[in-house]
Amino acid sequence: MIKTEKEIAAHLLQIKAIKLDTSNTFTWASGWKSPIYCDNRKVLSFPALRALIVDSFVDLAGKHYTETEVIAGVATGAIAFGALVAEKMRLPFVYVRTAPKGHGLGNQVEGELRKGQKTLVIEDLVSTGQSSLNAVETLRNAGAKVTGMLAVFTYGFEVAERNFQNAGCRLITLSNYFSLIEMAADTGYIREDELKTLREWRDNPSAWKQQGSL
Protein backbone atom coordinates (compact mmCIF):
# COMPACT_ATOMS: atom_id res chain seq x y z
CA MET A 1 0.00 0.00 0.00
CA ILE A 2 2.84 2.41 0.76
CA LYS A 3 3.63 4.42 -2.36
CA THR A 4 7.00 5.95 -3.15
CA GLU A 5 7.82 9.43 -1.90
CA LYS A 6 7.59 10.78 -5.45
CA GLU A 7 4.17 9.18 -6.01
CA ILE A 8 2.77 10.75 -2.85
CA ALA A 9 4.29 14.09 -3.89
CA ALA A 10 2.65 13.80 -7.32
CA HIS A 11 -0.76 13.26 -5.73
CA LEU A 12 -0.31 16.24 -3.39
CA LEU A 13 0.72 18.45 -6.31
CA GLN A 14 -2.17 17.22 -8.44
CA ILE A 15 -4.82 18.25 -5.93
CA LYS A 16 -2.94 21.49 -5.18
CA ALA A 17 -2.31 20.56 -1.56
CA ILE A 18 1.20 21.64 -2.54
CA LYS A 19 1.70 24.69 -4.74
CA LEU A 20 4.94 25.63 -6.46
CA ASP A 21 5.41 29.12 -7.88
CA THR A 22 8.85 30.67 -8.35
CA SER A 23 7.39 33.88 -9.81
CA ASN A 24 4.85 34.82 -7.14
CA THR A 25 6.13 33.79 -3.74
CA PHE A 26 4.13 32.79 -0.69
CA THR A 27 4.56 34.29 2.77
CA TRP A 28 4.61 31.84 5.68
CA ALA A 29 3.37 32.61 9.18
CA SER A 30 7.03 32.90 10.18
CA GLY A 31 7.47 35.73 7.65
CA TRP A 32 9.63 33.63 5.33
CA LYS A 33 9.14 34.17 1.61
CA SER A 34 8.78 30.87 -0.17
CA PRO A 35 8.18 29.43 -3.67
CA ILE A 36 6.20 26.57 -2.10
CA TYR A 37 3.08 26.38 0.00
CA CYS A 38 1.74 23.19 1.53
CA ASP A 39 -1.73 22.59 2.98
CA ASN A 40 -2.24 18.86 3.43
CA ARG A 41 -5.66 19.38 5.00
CA LYS A 42 -6.88 19.58 1.42
CA VAL A 43 -6.30 15.82 1.18
CA LEU A 44 -9.37 15.29 3.34
CA SER A 45 -11.60 16.44 0.46
CA PHE A 46 -10.29 13.71 -1.86
CA PRO A 47 -11.46 10.28 -0.65
CA ALA A 48 -9.07 8.13 -2.71
CA LEU A 49 -5.98 10.08 -1.69
CA ARG A 50 -7.25 10.38 1.88
CA ALA A 51 -7.54 6.60 2.05
CA LEU A 52 -4.08 6.18 0.52
CA ILE A 53 -2.50 8.49 3.10
CA VAL A 54 -4.26 6.78 6.01
CA ASP A 55 -3.46 3.27 4.75
CA SER A 56 0.17 4.26 4.27
CA PHE A 57 0.33 5.55 7.84
CA VAL A 58 -1.20 2.31 9.11
CA ASP A 59 1.31 0.26 7.13
CA LEU A 60 4.23 2.28 8.53
CA ALA A 61 2.87 2.02 12.05
CA GLY A 62 2.60 -1.76 11.67
CA LYS A 63 6.17 -1.94 10.41
CA HIS A 64 7.96 0.49 12.73
CA TYR A 65 5.73 1.02 15.77
CA THR A 66 4.24 -2.37 16.55
CA GLU A 67 3.68 -1.66 20.26
CA THR A 68 1.55 1.45 19.72
CA GLU A 69 -1.31 1.77 22.21
CA VAL A 70 -2.60 5.27 21.42
CA ILE A 71 -2.67 7.49 18.32
CA ALA A 72 -2.25 11.24 18.89
CA GLY A 73 -3.04 13.92 16.30
CA VAL A 74 -1.46 17.36 16.34
CA ALA A 75 -3.96 20.23 16.14
CA THR A 76 -5.30 21.28 13.89
CA GLY A 77 -4.09 19.84 10.60
CA ALA A 78 -3.48 16.30 11.79
CA ILE A 79 -6.53 15.73 13.99
CA ALA A 80 -8.55 14.15 11.18
CA PHE A 81 -5.63 12.08 9.89
CA GLY A 82 -4.90 10.82 13.38
CA ALA A 83 -8.53 9.93 14.08
CA LEU A 84 -8.77 8.00 10.81
CA VAL A 85 -5.55 6.10 11.56
CA ALA A 86 -6.77 5.27 15.06
CA GLU A 87 -10.08 4.03 13.65
CA LYS A 88 -8.30 1.84 11.12
CA MET A 89 -6.02 0.40 13.81
CA ARG A 90 -8.83 0.12 16.38
CA LEU A 91 -6.83 2.16 18.89
CA PRO A 92 -7.71 5.01 21.25
CA PHE A 93 -7.24 8.53 19.91
CA VAL A 94 -6.25 11.81 21.54
CA TYR A 95 -5.26 15.15 20.09
CA VAL A 96 -2.90 17.85 21.26
CA ARG A 97 -3.83 21.52 21.31
CA THR A 98 -1.21 24.18 20.57
CA ALA A 99 -1.97 25.67 24.00
CA PRO A 100 -4.10 24.68 26.99
CA LYS A 101 -7.82 25.26 26.56
CA GLY A 102 -8.72 28.74 27.82
CA HIS A 103 -11.76 27.59 29.79
CA GLY A 104 -13.30 24.53 31.39
CA LEU A 105 -10.66 22.02 32.47
CA GLY A 106 -7.88 23.81 30.60
CA ASN A 107 -6.85 20.65 28.79
CA GLN A 108 -4.06 20.62 26.23
CA VAL A 109 -4.38 16.91 25.52
CA GLU A 110 -7.98 16.04 24.62
CA GLY A 111 -9.14 12.48 25.17
CA GLU A 112 -8.16 9.79 27.64
CA LEU A 113 -4.42 9.20 27.94
CA ARG A 114 -3.00 6.99 30.68
CA LYS A 115 0.53 7.32 32.00
CA GLY A 116 3.03 5.08 30.27
CA GLN A 117 0.93 4.38 27.19
CA LYS A 118 3.00 3.99 24.03
CA THR A 119 1.83 6.84 21.80
CA LEU A 120 2.39 7.37 18.08
CA VAL A 121 2.00 10.98 16.92
CA ILE A 122 0.46 11.84 13.55
CA GLU A 123 1.34 15.15 11.87
CA ASP A 124 0.41 16.62 8.49
CA LEU A 125 3.46 18.82 7.83
CA VAL A 126 6.91 19.31 9.36
CA SER A 127 8.91 22.48 8.70
CA THR A 128 11.35 23.35 11.50
CA GLY A 129 9.69 20.72 13.67
CA GLN A 130 9.19 23.06 16.60
CA SER A 131 5.39 22.95 16.77
CA SER A 132 5.38 19.19 16.17
CA LEU A 133 7.87 18.63 18.97
CA ASN A 134 5.95 20.93 21.27
CA ALA A 135 3.11 18.42 20.91
CA VAL A 136 5.51 15.58 21.68
CA GLU A 137 6.69 17.36 24.81
CA THR A 138 3.10 18.01 25.89
CA LEU A 139 2.28 14.32 25.53
CA ARG A 140 5.38 13.31 27.46
CA ASN A 141 4.53 15.77 30.21
CA ALA A 142 1.10 14.14 30.36
CA GLY A 143 2.78 10.79 30.99
CA ALA A 144 2.75 9.29 27.49
CA LYS A 145 5.66 7.27 26.16
CA VAL A 146 6.01 8.77 22.68
CA THR A 147 7.38 6.14 20.32
CA GLY A 148 7.73 8.42 17.28
CA MET A 149 5.94 10.51 14.68
CA LEU A 150 4.51 9.91 11.22
CA ALA A 151 3.89 12.89 8.91
CA VAL A 152 2.60 13.40 5.40
CA PHE A 153 5.34 15.79 4.24
CA THR A 154 8.56 17.40 5.41
CA TYR A 155 10.72 20.14 3.94
CA GLY A 156 13.72 18.26 5.32
CA PHE A 157 15.34 21.28 6.93
CA GLU A 158 18.51 20.44 8.83
CA VAL A 159 17.18 22.32 11.85
CA ALA A 160 14.20 19.96 11.93
CA GLU A 161 16.44 16.90 11.77
CA ARG A 162 18.50 18.26 14.67
CA ASN A 163 15.40 19.12 16.66
CA PHE A 164 13.94 15.64 16.30
CA GLN A 165 17.27 14.01 17.10
CA ASN A 166 17.71 16.15 20.21
CA ALA A 167 14.17 15.33 21.29
CA GLY A 168 14.77 11.62 20.84
CA CYS A 169 11.77 11.30 18.55
CA ARG A 170 11.96 9.30 15.33
CA LEU A 171 10.25 10.98 12.37
CA ILE A 172 9.07 9.06 9.30
CA THR A 173 7.31 10.89 6.46
CA LEU A 174 5.41 9.79 3.39
CA SER A 175 7.08 12.37 1.16
CA ASN A 176 9.56 15.22 1.28
CA TYR A 177 10.72 18.36 -0.50
CA PHE A 178 13.52 16.81 -2.56
CA SER A 179 11.31 14.00 -3.85
CA LEU A 180 8.72 16.63 -4.74
CA ILE A 181 10.96 18.89 -6.81
CA GLU A 182 12.69 15.95 -8.51
CA MET A 183 9.31 14.51 -9.49
CA ALA A 184 8.15 17.94 -10.68
CA ALA A 185 11.26 18.28 -12.86
CA ASP A 186 11.01 14.72 -14.21
CA THR A 187 7.41 15.25 -15.30
CA GLY A 188 7.97 18.70 -16.82
CA TYR A 189 5.87 20.45 -14.17
CA ILE A 190 8.79 22.82 -13.58
CA ARG A 191 11.64 24.01 -15.79
CA GLU A 192 15.35 23.56 -15.08
CA ASP A 193 15.72 27.19 -13.97
CA GLU A 194 12.78 26.76 -11.59
CA LEU A 195 14.37 23.63 -10.17
CA LYS A 196 17.53 25.65 -9.50
CA THR A 197 15.51 28.31 -7.68
CA LEU A 198 13.68 25.72 -5.59
CA ARG A 199 16.98 24.14 -4.58
CA GLU A 200 18.44 27.53 -3.67
CA TRP A 201 15.46 28.35 -1.47
CA ARG A 202 15.69 25.01 0.32
CA ASP A 203 19.42 25.53 1.03
CA ASN A 204 18.81 28.74 2.95
CA PRO A 205 15.16 29.85 3.19
CA SER A 206 15.77 32.66 5.70
CA ALA A 207 18.48 34.25 3.53
CA TRP A 208 16.28 33.76 0.47
CA LYS A 209 13.66 35.87 2.23
CA GLN A 210 16.13 38.75 2.35
CA GLN A 211 16.37 38.68 -1.43
CA GLY A 212 12.76 39.78 -1.58
CA SER A 213 11.52 38.03 -4.68
CA LEU A 214 12.94 36.35 -7.75
Side-chain angles (χ1 to χ4, degrees), residues 31-196:
W32 283 4
K33 300 295 183 182
S34 168
I36 179 173
Y37 186 77
C38 183
D39 181 8
N40 291 323
R41 288 168 293 192
K42 198 164 185 180
V43 170
L44 299 171
S45 298
F46 295 83
L49 181 54
R50 183 180 67 211
L52 173 61
I53 295 294
V54 171
D55 288 345
S56 296
F57 276 149
V58 171
D59 286 351
L60 286 172
K63 182 178 180 181
H64 298 284
Y65 304 105
T66 57
E67 298 182 352
T68 300
E69 298 174 298
V70 177
I71 299 296
V74 180
T76 59
I79 292 177
F81 289 115
L84 290 166
V85 169
E87 176 66 18
K88 191 89 172 179
M89 297 179 70
R90 293 293 187 264
L91 290 175
F93 173 72
V94 301
Y95 72 86
V96 188
R97 295 177 177 273
T98 56
K101 192 174 180 180
H103 57 279
L105 298 177
N107 293 335
Q108 190 165 357
V109 177
E110 297 287 3
E112 184 168 340
L113 180 66
R114 298 194 300 273
K115 292 187 183 300
Q117 283 189 307
K118 297 181 179 65
T119 304
L120 175 60
V121 184
I122 303 296
E123 181 63 288
D124 65 327
L125 174 66
V126 174
S127 52
T128 65
Q130 194 59 57
S131 60
S132 303
L133 289 171
N134 285 343
V136 169
E137 182 180 8
T138 297
L139 288 163
R140 287 173 171 168
N141 290 340
K145 183 178 180 181
V146 176
T147 55
M149 180 180 292
L150 297 176
V152 178
F153 188 84
T154 179
Y155 294 105
F157 295 137
E158 290 182 7
V159 63
E161 294 176 1
R162 289 197 303 271
N163 286 339
F164 274 90
Q165 184 175 13
N166 292 338
C169 181
R170 183 184 185 188
L171 171 66
I172 301 175
T173 64
L174 300 182
S175 191
N176 57 74
Y177 185 77
F178 285 121
S179 294
L180 168 73
I181 62 174
E182 287 175 8
M183 177 280 302
D186 291 345
T187 58
Y189 188 91
I190 58 174
R191 304 183 306 271
E192 188 63 33
D193 62 310
E194 293 174 308
L195 177 62
K196 181 176 181 293

